[in-house]
């Protein structure tokens, strides 16, 4: 037989705290009493009776000069006032989660709102909560709330403030909230269901689905134990609700292959252990005293501790976190992120696991104030310092231009990048970087002065060097690269092929005859180039851009023959004639004697560079790849036609 015990079985924080306070009160000596049953468990009440603590139900019945312990369910305002009038020493063991509900309903009524308590009538916790305001409304279901709203004269304009009994079920609460928001235009809700209760119920349901038999341990007067039993019965056909080990139906469960055990929030550890021991085939450790088990069940926290918890509720002002300790954790929204524009729903959701830092502990109320922002800041400073030591590259968002440089945000840390380290040219405006993300190295960190200096240039230089080395390791003639034109000179263009600059001579930019590289390319153009030759020692690379897959000469002879007329472009004037481009890459010579139909002293008297004229192809020298042209022949043909 496999026996599985639920993780959250037994005392919740509120009950554990109440029992601990009662233990301390009884140990102090002198008369003491508990007002009502401290918790819903007769075994616990009997334990304190043996310690000399009497149990009374009326404030007037408390013995004179006695210390009185207020039970974990809390009491009404009137009861506290009655105890105060008698001058008694009050030990308030009200569960901090319940005390919070008392404050919520009291404050709601002060603001002119109607407090609505979702919970079971007559339950001590509900009665005590209602006692902190004059006109509280108690409903046990969403349907009851709907009937009450529809019957009220103010109807949908009712200013309702909804809270829930801490041990109520999540389903009842969700239904009530849904109806309140549907029927009322002025309703506010506070999810005050204790997460420990919700977690206990979820674990019980899970075990009930997995196990053949469920054992629920707890007093029959305990409402939360009743809820556990009812939930288990929905998923398991064999559920036994017992108060102690002697009630175990051993004969009925011996044949089961798997048994699950859960316990109500008021069930002490020694009873759970006794049940588990009775069912287990293995010997367990020696019985511990009540105080020892209580002490072991409490995990302490200190300011500055890093803690991980689960988000259980999100309100307009704070985030509630279950830490698995005796404290309830709260993150104020101001402590969630240092970015004021960020939305809570983008950062965290109910059910998320979140790591935070303890900033303040209130043991009296059982509340821990947490900060995610401070923990993130501490982590980010550690990351920055490690990046400085290890030379790690980080990314930063450039927020603004500052005197002498720019300011970047690296994971919430302000990093100054001097102008000389931005990687920009001397006269280039730095505002071009604002609003961009840049990779940088951290060069200096002074945490005490909160000063960090970075360099974009160092990263760019290192990356360029790595790329350059990769180029030189793999370069070869005729290899193609996609490059960017970086600058132009009178004799060619420099092209960055990925960390290395190569030179494209003007003659290699185009098959056409050009006077300046700007006629073919512009700075910033992305071009396809290939390696003509390279010198690793001198770090020089000659590149070409002309498409060598098609021969200009072959293109020419495929289009023209001797005797054909062609429109050509005058590209150069010489003393003996003019050169004209027939097709890109193939020029022909118009001898001075063939420029006009009359004697010409100088070619420039008849022609100009860039001029388009019609000529006749008079000769093609295939071996020398030379072409003779005649403008005179065309002019004579025109004259003959006239």
């Amino acid at each position: 037989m496999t026996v599985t015990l639920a993780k959250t079985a037994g005392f919740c924080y509120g009950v554990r705290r109440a029992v601990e306070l009662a233990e301390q009160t009884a140990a102090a000596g002198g008369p003491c009493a508990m007002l009502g049953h401290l918790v819903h468990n007769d075994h616990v009440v009997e334990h304190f009776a043996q310690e000399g603590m009497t149990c009374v139900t009326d404030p007037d019945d408390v013995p004179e000069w006695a210390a009185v312990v207020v039970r974990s369910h809390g009491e009404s305002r009137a009861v506290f006032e009655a105890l105060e009038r008698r001058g008694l020493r009050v030990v308030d063991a009200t569960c901090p989660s319940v005390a919070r509900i008392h404050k919520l309903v009291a404050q709601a009524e002060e603001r002119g709102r109607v407090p609505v308590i979702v919970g079971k009538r007559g339950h001590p916790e509900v009665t005590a909560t209602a006692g902190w305001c004059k006109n509280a409304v108690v409903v046990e279901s969403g349907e009851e709330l709907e009937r009450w709203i529809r019957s009220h004269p103010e109807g949908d304009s009712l200013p309702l403030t909804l809270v829930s009994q801490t041990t109520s079920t999540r389903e009842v609460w969700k239904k009530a909230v849904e109806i309140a928001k549907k029927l009322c235009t002025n309703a506010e809700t506070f999810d005050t269901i204790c997460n420990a209760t919700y977690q206990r119920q979820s674990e019980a349901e899970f075990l009930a689905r997995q196990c053949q038999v469920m054992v629920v341990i707890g007093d029959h007067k305990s409402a939360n134990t009743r809820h556990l039993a009812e939930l288990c019965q929905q998923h398991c056909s064999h559920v036994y609700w017992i108060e102690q080990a002697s009630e175990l139906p051993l004969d009925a469960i011996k044949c089961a292959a798997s048994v699950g055990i859960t316990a109500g929030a008021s069930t002490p550890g020694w009873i759970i252990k006794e049940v588990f021991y009775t069912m287990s085939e293995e010997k367990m450790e020696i019985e511990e005293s009540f105080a020892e088990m209580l002490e072991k069940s409490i995990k302490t926290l200190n300011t500055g501790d890093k803690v991980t918890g689960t988000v259980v509720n999100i309100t307009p002002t704070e985030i509630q976190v279950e830490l698995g300790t005796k404290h309830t954790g709260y993150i104020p929204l101001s402590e969630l992120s240092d970015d004021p524009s960020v939305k809570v729903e983008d950062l965290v959701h109910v059910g998320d696991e979140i790591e935070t830092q303890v900033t303040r502990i209130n043991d009296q109320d059982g509340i821990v104030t947490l900060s995610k922002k401070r923990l993130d800041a501490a982590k980010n400073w550690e990351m920055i310092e490690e990046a400085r030591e290890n030379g790690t590259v980080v990314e930063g968002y450039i927020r603004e231009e500052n005197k002498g440089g720019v300011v970047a945000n690296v994971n919430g840390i302000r990093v100054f990048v001097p102008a000389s380290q931005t990687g920009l040219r001397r006269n280039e405006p730095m505002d071009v970087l604002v609003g961009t993300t840049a990779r940088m190295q951290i060069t200096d960190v002074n945490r005490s002065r909160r000063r960090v200096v970075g360099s974009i240039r160092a990263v760019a230089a290192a990356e360029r060097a790595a790329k350059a080395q990769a180029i030189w390791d793999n370069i070869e003639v005729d290899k193609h690269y996609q490059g960017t034109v970086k600058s132009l000179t009178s004799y060619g263009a420099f092209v960055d092929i990925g960390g290395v600059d190569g030179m494209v001579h003007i003659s290699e930019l185009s098959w056409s005859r050009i006077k300046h590289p700007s006629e073919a390319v512009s700075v910033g153009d992305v071009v396809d180039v290939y390696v003509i030759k390279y010198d690793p020692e001198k770090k020089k690379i000659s590149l070409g851009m002309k498409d060598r897959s098609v021969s200009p000469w072959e293109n020419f002879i495929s289009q023209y023959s001797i005797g054909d007329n062609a429109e050509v472009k005058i590209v150069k004037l010489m003393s003996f004639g003019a050169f004209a481009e027939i097709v890109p890459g193939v020029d022909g010579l118009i001898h001075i004697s063939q420029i006009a139909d009359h004697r010409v002293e100088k070619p420039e008297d008849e022609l100009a560079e860039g001029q388009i004229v019609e000529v006749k192809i008079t000769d093609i020298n295939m071996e020398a790849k030379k072409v003779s042209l005649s403008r005179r022949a065309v002019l004579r043909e025109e004259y003959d036609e006239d």
Side-chain angles (χ1 to χ4, degrees):
M1 179 175 63
T2 302
V3 180
T4 306
L5 176 64
K7 279 198 309 182
T8 55
F11 281 175
C12 65
Y13 163 67
V15 172
R16 186 186 300 119
R17 175 177 175 272
V19 171
E20 185 181 27
L21 288 172
E23 284 281 351
Q24 294 171 356
T25 304
C32 58
M34 68 178 81
L35 186 57
H37 284 187
L38 185 71
V39 296
H40 274 157
N41 191 284
D42 288 340
H43 296 281
V44 175
V45 175
E46 183 182 347
H47 166 78
F48 284 112
Q50 294 174 359
E51 296 289 321
M53 183 177 289
T54 59
C55 181
V56 298
T57 57
D58 192 296
D60 294 334
D61 295 336
V62 178
E64 293 294 331
W65 311 113
V68 58
V69 180
V70 175
R71 58 185 172 176
S72 61
H73 297 103
E75 291 289 355
S76 66
R77 191 201 303 267
V79 169
F80 278 93
E81 291 173 348
L83 295 172
E84 185 178 356
R85 284 194 299 270
R86 291 193 58 196
L88 299 172
R89 183 169 73 89
V90 177
V91 179
D92 188 1
T94 305
C95 171
S97 297
V98 176
R100 177 171 175 262
I101 305 176
H102 295 172
K103 292 179 182 178
L104 288 172
V105 296
Q107 291 170 355
E109 194 168 69
E110 289 173 3
R111 291 185 287 126
R113 304 185 66 83
V114 180
V116 177
I117 305 168
V118 181
K120 191 169 182 62
R121 285 187 189 83
H123 189 284
E125 186 180 301
V126 175
T127 303
T129 302
W132 282 88
C133 46
K134 296 177 181 178
N135 299 303
V137 178
V138 178
V139 296
E140 295 189 2
S141 66
E143 292 74 16
E144 184 180 348
L145 175 62
E146 181 174 2
R147 290 194 297 271
W148 180 81
I149 293 174
R150 293 189 183 280
S151 65
H152 199 280
E154 294 185 41
D156 60 0
S157 62
L158 276 168
L160 302 184
T161 296
L162 268 69
V163 297
S164 175
Q165 174 192 351
T166 59
T167 58
S168 181
T169 63
R170 183 70 60 181
E171 290 71 22
V172 171
W173 169 251
K174 285 182 177 179
K175 184 65 176 177
V177 171
E178 179 184 335
I179 289 172
K181 290 184 176 180
K182 177 182 178 182
L183 299 181
C184 294
T185 58
N186 189 12
E188 64 178 10
T189 62
F190 293 90
D191 186 351
T192 52
I193 294 179
C194 176
N195 183 65
T197 300
Y198 176 68
Q199 190 173 354
R200 188 188 314 274
Q201 292 173 355
S202 299
E203 288 182 6
E205 284 187 286
F206 177 79
L207 278 177
R209 293 190 187 99
Q210 308 298 318
C211 299
Q212 295 178 354
V213 171
M214 280 298 298
V215 176
V216 182
I217 312 169
D219 198 289
H220 285 281
K221 297 188 292 297
S222 169
N224 76 80
T225 307
R226 180 179 295 105
H227 286 319
L228 289 178
E230 291 169 351
L231 287 170
C232 290
Q233 287 166 356
Q234 295 175 15
H235 306 286
C236 181
S237 57
H238 301 287
V239 178
Y240 301 98
W241 181 2
I242 65 173
E243 291 190 358
Q244 54 188 345
S246 60
E247 300 175 10
L248 270 173
L250 293 175
D251 292 338
I253 64 177
K254 278 182 179 178
C255 297
S258 57
V259 179
I261 303 176
T262 186
S266 302
T267 307
W270 77 77
I271 293 181
I272 300 172
K273 186 173 181 180
E274 183 182 6
V275 171
F276 190 83
Y277 177 80
T278 302
M279 296 174 62
S280 175
E281 296 180 354
E282 298 179 5
K283 293 294 181 181
M284 300 185 72
E285 61 189 46
I286 300 173
E287 186 77 22
E288 295 175 298
S289 70
F290 180 88
E292 287 173 336
M293 292 187 69
L294 180 66
E295 184 66 27
K296 284 190 176 182
S297 67
I298 299 174
K299 178 182 176 182
T300 58
L301 293 175
N302 298 298
T303 301
D305 284 354
K306 294 179 183 178
V307 292
T308 300
T310 303
V311 175
V312 295
N313 191 28
I314 300 174
T315 74
T317 58
E318 63 190 11
I319 297 166
Q320 184 179 348
V321 180
E322 174 61 40
L323 299 174
T325 70
K326 67 177 184 177
H327 300 88
T328 300
Y330 291 95
I331 308 173
L333 291 190
S334 60
E335 292 297 322
L336 183 63
S337 171
D338 60 0
D339 185 350
S341 64
V342 76
K343 296 180 180 179
V344 177
E345 57 268 25
D346 294 337
L347 294 180
V348 67
H349 305 87
V350 172
D352 286 354
E353 190 174 86
I354 189 169
E355 189 177 15
T356 61
Q357 186 177 43
V358 177
T359 59
R360 188 163 62 88
I361 301 172
N362 187 332
D363 284 320
Q364 182 175 355
D365 293 337
I367 292 175
V368 176
T369 304
L370 307 169
S371 174
K372 184 176 185 300
K373 181 171 70 174
R374 296 190 192 183
L375 180 62
D376 289 345
K379 285 184 174 180
N380 291 337
W381 274 105
E382 291 174 4
M383 181 276 294
I384 287 287
E385 289 173 336
E386 289 179 3
R388 166 67 182 87
E389 293 175 5
N390 302 330
T392 308
V393 175
V394 298
E395 278 195 354
Y397 177 77
I398 311 299
R399 298 188 309 182
E400 59 183 278
E401 180 184 357
N402 203 349
K403 184 179 180 181
V406 294
V407 175
N409 184 319
V410 179
N411 290 352
I413 305 295
R414 182 183 184 277
V415 179
F416 176 66
V417 181
S420 61
Q421 298 301 315
T422 59
L424 299 175
R425 294 184 180 87
R426 184 180 298 275
N427 296 321
E428 192 172 355
M430 289 184 290
D431 59 5
V432 298
L433 293 175
V434 176
T436 65
T437 299
R439 290 161 54 80
M440 63 187 72
Q441 281 187 348
I442 304 301
T443 57
D444 185 46
V445 178
N446 189 325
R447 190 166 179 176
S448 60
R449 295 178 59 187
R450 304 184 69 80
R451 181 177 181 274
V452 183
V453 180
S455 172
I456 300 172
R457 177 184 174 186
V459 174
E463 291 178 346
R464 185 174 177 83
K467 291 179 179 179
Q469 188 58 49
I471 293 289
W472 285 111
D473 289 343
N474 299 284
I475 196 169
E476 56 187 42
V477 173
D478 291 332
K479 187 170 184 177
H480 281 252
Y481 294 94
Q482 191 175 63
T484 303
V485 178
K486 303 298 288 186
S487 62
L488 302 178
T489 68
S490 60
Y491 50 85
F494 286 96
V495 177
D496 181 356
I497 58 174
V500 177
D501 286 351
M503 175 66 183
V504 184
H505 192 268
I506 189 170
S507 62
E508 294 294 335
L509 284 170
S510 170
W511 285 112
S512 297
R513 190 190 295 265
I514 58 177
K515 290 186 174 182
H516 193 273
S518 58
E519 297 177 39
V521 294
S522 300
V523 173
D525 284 355
V526 176
V527 295
D528 182 73
V529 294
Y530 51 87
V531 178
I532 296 176
K533 61 180 180 179
Y534 61 93
D535 188 336
E537 293 183 1
K538 294 182 179 180
K539 300 296 183 184
K540 289 185 178 181
I541 302 176
S542 294
L543 302 172
M545 259 183 62
K546 295 190 297 187
D547 184 4
R548 295 184 180 274
S549 62
V550 179
S551 168
W553 182 259
E554 291 178 0
N555 184 32
F556 163 69
I557 61 175
S558 67
Q559 297 183 54
Y560 297 101
S561 302
I562 296 174
D564 289 347
N565 285 7
E567 284 193 346
V568 297
K569 178 183 177 182
I570 305 301
V571 294
K572 193 170 185 180
L573 298 175
M574 306 293 290
S575 60
F576 51 84
F579 286 101
E581 181 183 71
I582 309 169
V583 297
V586 176
D587 294 346
L589 174 63
I590 309 174
H591 191 269
I592 192 170
S593 63
Q594 299 300 315
I595 290 178
D597 57 358
H598 56 272
R599 183 178 177 79
V600 175
E601 295 291 335
K602 294 184 292 186
E604 53 264 33
D605 291 341
E606 295 290 331
L607 300 173
E609 290 186 4
Q611 182 181 354
I612 305 298
V613 296
E614 187 176 2
V615 297
K616 183 181 288 293
I617 300 174
T618 57
D619 186 48
I620 300 175
N621 187 331
M622 299 297 290
E623 292 184 5
K625 294 183 179 180
K626 291 183 178 181
V627 183
S628 297
L629 305 174
S630 174
R631 182 167 176 256
R632 177 182 178 181
V634 174
L635 294 174
R636 186 173 290 276
E637 286 177 354
E638 293 175 355
Y639 175 79
D640 290 343
E641 289 177 4
D642 291 341

